[in-house]
Amino acid sequence: MLNPLQKRFKYHFTGNKQTNVLNKPEWYLTQVLMWIGNHAKFLDDKIQPILEKAGSSVNAGLEFSRGLVMLILEKLAADIPCLLYDDTLFCHLVDEVLLFERELYSVHGYLSSFPSCMHILSEESCFQRWLTVERKFALQKMDSMLSSEAAWISQYKDITDVDDMKVPDCAETFMTLLLVITERYKNLPTASRKLQFLGLQKELVDDFRIRLTQVMKEETRAPLGFRYCAILNAVNYIATVLADWADNVFFLQLQQAELEVHAESDAVSQLQLGQLASMESSVFDDMINLLERLKHDMLTRQVDHVFREVKDAAKLYKKERWLSLPSQAEQAVMSLSSTACPMLLTLRDRLLQLEQQLCLSLFKIFWQILAEKVDIYIYQEVIMANHFNEGGAAQLQFDMSRNLFPLFSHYCKRPENYFKHIKEACIILNLNIGSALLLKDVLQSASENETLNPNQPPATAALNELGVYKLSQKDVEILLNLRASWPNTGK
């Protein structure tokens, strides 16, 4: 059955025939797939029963396919040296061979233990050329995706439920490129060849990270701008996808193979070997760490920029006359301090802007860091730097609990938990006079006892009872002394 087909193959695809051209490998590859497909039913229905009757374990269809694949291997071995240094022809040949292999395995059930085209592509000269061409074309695609007009726009920007990650087009295209490369090399017969391709993917990730960093540096004057945010979303997306891939079975197998290679070569420390072996680390860890560092630096720059604006807007609020404000009883209704408006408006506008421009996970990190900075700033620069009468303390509490904290209530259920210094300082400043005197005595006794008996527990229980957990005993003593109105107790 194979003899006449072998003759036809050699007639059409060797020598000077018009069907034997280097730029049309698909002609002979398709022809072989057609022969395999056309003979499948006859082999299964007619030939296989004869073999089984004779007690043979041979699979007629697979043996027939193997015979035809051997023709392809001979043809490839003859053709590849002729087109090795023509990038276009070589790349086209590799593409067609990979499509042929995919159909051979998925449609015709060819066995991975049989000879295949991947063995030819794995031979040293051919394989190195394949790696070089793959790198060259990948870099060209990276150039075009980053210079595209739509590079920083998310293609899903109008579909809210799909656009959680707010991924710019260039980052999505880049990860698709990496995914396609994985698909191309994952059926290579040896782990060492796969690891070389993995090395190429790591190089490309690093190259893309450097390019993103260069574009980011051009945008550092506008860290809240559209492009800066898009770069940050891109960095976050790539790191997230790589972390997902690290748990993929294919990459876990490569991690095992990498571990074996390192163990033989003593190229890494015992600690790194242990981390690889215990699966604590992954094949992409170095890449992810660099991307995470870049993400952190970019987020920090954004937070610092907004925080500077908030501090500028809070200058008048710091100078508020906290000592001479009317008490609650003297006001028909409490209203926000006019000096707090610029600060709160700045915060509100920047939070809304970045909520729209950053993906959810990045925005969460952003507002939490910002809240922490604002908390400490108001605590140190407004509260600790002033004295408060009863009206001043009540006004501060109103400004904070009814105006500052609610700005963050869109993002969490209990925003006051992110402003613990402010919240607890307001508790101390607004204690009624009896409780404040009692607390002062408790703290004074605790301090004296501590001097006499260092093992005596401090006044923690008394503070906890009031809802104060963050501030130290010393801080609370200072805050009590910032209260202006103390009755004359005769002490």
Side-chain angles (χ1 to χ4, degrees):
M1 283 181 70
L2 280 168
N3 276 339
L5 296 178
Q6 286 168 339
K7 281 180 185 172
R8 283 175 65 186
F9 186 92
K10 283 173 182 169
Y11 176 81
H12 286 294
F13 303 116
T14 57
N16 297 322
K17 301 292 181 296
Q18 286 184 321
T19 44
N20 181 32
V21 280
L22 285 174
N23 64 345
K24 293 290 182 186
E26 60 269 36
W27 284 356
Y28 61 82
L29 295 167
T30 307
Q31 183 62 69
V32 164
L33 287 172
M34 278 174 59
W35 283 340
I36 292 172
N38 292 344
H39 287 77
K41 184 168 171 51
F42 174 74
L43 288 163
D44 286 347
D45 293 352
K46 305 294 182 189
I47 306 299
Q48 193 62 42
I50 296 169
L51 291 169
E52 285 169 5
K53 204 171 183 180
S56 171
S57 60
V58 171
N59 182 307
L62 288 175
E63 286 304 321
F64 182 76
S65 299
R66 193 213 310 238
L68 291 175
V69 167
M70 293 309 292
L71 291 172
I72 300 273
L73 300 193
E74 287 169 25
K75 174 72 176 151
L76 286 173
D79 281 3
I80 283 173
C82 305
L83 46 77
L84 207 51
Y85 297 101
D86 184 318
D87 288 352
T88 310
L89 286 182
F90 182 75
C91 205
H92 178 58
L93 173 75
V94 171
D95 289 344
E96 290 299 329
V97 165
L98 292 172
L99 287 171
F100 169 79
E101 287 268 308
R102 189 182 305 163
E103 188 167 339
L104 190 63
Y105 285 101
S106 61
V107 178
H108 302 295
Y110 196 69
L111 298 181
S112 55
S113 55
F114 282 9
S116 83
C117 303
M118 296 310 260
H119 290 90
I120 298 283
L121 293 182
S122 294
E123 286 175 6
E124 186 62 25
S125 59
C126 180
F127 182 77
Q128 291 307 328
R129 189 75 195 133
W130 182 12
L131 263 183
T132 305
V133 170
E134 203 77 45
R135 180 184 290 107
K136 177 187 168 184
F137 282 109
L139 291 171
Q140 284 175 0
K141 282 175 189 161
M142 283 159 65
D143 288 338
S144 65
M145 67 180 77
L146 282 168
S147 55
S148 148
E149 284 183 13
W152 305 108
I153 299 166
S154 166
Q155 53 185 320
Y156 307 113
K157 67 180 190 302
D158 301 322
I159 314 169
T160 316
D161 55 341
V162 178
D163 197 31
D164 283 349
M165 296 283 282
K166 294 185 168 63
V167 188
D169 194 52
C170 64
E172 188 148 22
T173 310
F174 175 68
M175 294 315 284
T176 306
L177 170 69
L178 287 188
L179 192 61
V180 169
I181 291 174
T182 304
E183 288 298 315
R184 287 160 74 81
Y185 79 81
K186 74 176 185 185
N187 291 321
L188 280 165
T190 64
S192 63
R193 292 302 192 206
K194 290 177 190 171
L195 284 173
Q196 284 175 271
F197 257 103
L198 177 65
L200 167 63
Q201 287 178 303
K202 288 180 180 179
E203 277 178 46
L204 294 175
V205 171
D206 213 38
D207 191 286
F208 198 72
R209 177 186 60 79
I210 290 165
R211 290 172 191 231
L212 288 177
T213 307
Q214 287 165 346
V215 182
M216 179 270 288
K217 283 178 178 169
E218 295 166 14
E219 302 294 324
T220 47
R221 288 188 177 178
L224 308 183
F226 168 75
R227 186 181 281 200
Y228 189 94
C229 290
I231 297 164
L232 183 47
N233 286 329
V235 171
N236 180 61
Y237 174 69
I238 295 167
T240 305
V241 174
L242 289 178
D244 286 345
W245 284 1
D247 295 329
N248 180 297
V249 173
F250 174 71
F251 288 112
L252 289 172
Q253 288 168 342
L254 280 190
Q255 184 173 340
Q256 188 59 38
E258 195 172 48
L259 173 66
E260 287 162 15
V261 171
H262 287 325
E264 286 168 21
S265 64
D266 295 330
V268 294
S269 70
Q270 287 300 312
L271 174 64
Q272 287 170 304
L273 276 179
Q275 287 174 333
L276 275 170
S278 65
M279 300 295 176
E280 277 177 36
S281 62
S282 77
V283 287
F284 295 114
D285 263 14
D286 292 346
M287 309 293 103
I288 294 170
N289 290 340
L290 288 168
L291 288 162
E292 286 292 337
R293 193 184 307 166
L294 175 58
K295 177 174 101 175
H296 178 263
D297 291 347
M298 290 181 75
L299 265 174
T300 303
R301 189 177 275 116
Q302 287 188 320
V303 172
D304 289 348
H305 183 89
V306 173
F307 185 54
R308 272 197 304 276
E309 291 185 341
V310 171
K311 283 197 294 186
D312 285 346
K315 281 176 182 171
L316 287 174
Y317 193 61
K318 282 167 64 178
K319 295 174 183 170
E320 185 63 76
R321 294 176 300 116
W322 300 107
L323 254 179
S324 54
L325 290 178
S327 69
Q328 247 175 309
E330 294 167 33
Q331 299 181 60
V333 60
M334 289 204 75
S335 61
L336 173 66
S337 303
S338 58
T339 51
C341 290
M343 172 182 76
L344 295 175
L345 281 171
T346 303
L347 264 175
R348 184 202 65 182
D349 293 346
R350 290 314 189 196
L351 286 168
L352 286 172
Q353 180 187 350
L354 285 161
E355 185 183 15
Q356 287 171 348
Q357 292 186 177
L358 292 179
C359 77
L360 192 60
S361 62
L362 286 174
F363 179 66
K364 186 178 179 183
I365 299 168
F366 169 82
W367 75 253
Q368 288 182 358
I369 300 173
L370 181 63
E372 189 182 329
K373 279 179 165 285
V374 170
D375 177 40
I376 291 169
Y377 176 75
I378 290 177
Y379 176 68
Q380 290 178 344
E381 301 294 324
V382 177
I383 299 173
M384 290 302 227
N386 286 288
H387 284 77
F388 296 81
N389 69 357
E390 188 188 330
Q395 185 63 53
L396 176 74
Q397 181 154 33
F398 182 83
D399 293 346
M400 298 296 107
S401 61
R402 300 291 291 279
N403 295 280
L404 172 65
F405 300 168
L407 282 181
F408 292 81
S409 62
H410 299 295
Y411 319 124
C412 62
K413 284 183 178 170
R414 301 181 67 84
E416 64 275 13
N417 288 342
Y418 291 91
F419 296 91
K420 286 188 174 148
H421 290 88
I422 296 175
K423 184 180 91 169
E424 294 182 6
C426 286
I427 290 171
I428 300 300
L429 292 173
N430 285 280
L431 281 176
N432 65 48
I433 199 75
S435 302
L437 282 169
L438 192 61
L439 181 61
K440 210 170 187 182
D441 284 347
V442 169
L443 295 177
Q444 205 168 344
S445 304
S447 297
E448 287 165 6
N449 287 342
E450 201 178 341
T451 314
L452 299 169
N453 182 6
N455 297 326
Q456 185 80 12
T460 311
L463 293 174
N464 290 357
E465 209 173 299
L466 295 169
V468 175
Y469 298 91
K470 181 84 176 170
L471 299 180
S472 69
Q473 187 175 320
K474 203 158 199 62
D475 287 341
V476 174
E477 286 171 3
I478 295 168
L479 283 166
L480 285 170
N481 288 327
L482 296 179
R483 292 171 60 119
S485 47
W486 288 101
N488 185 359
T489 57
K491 286 189 181 179

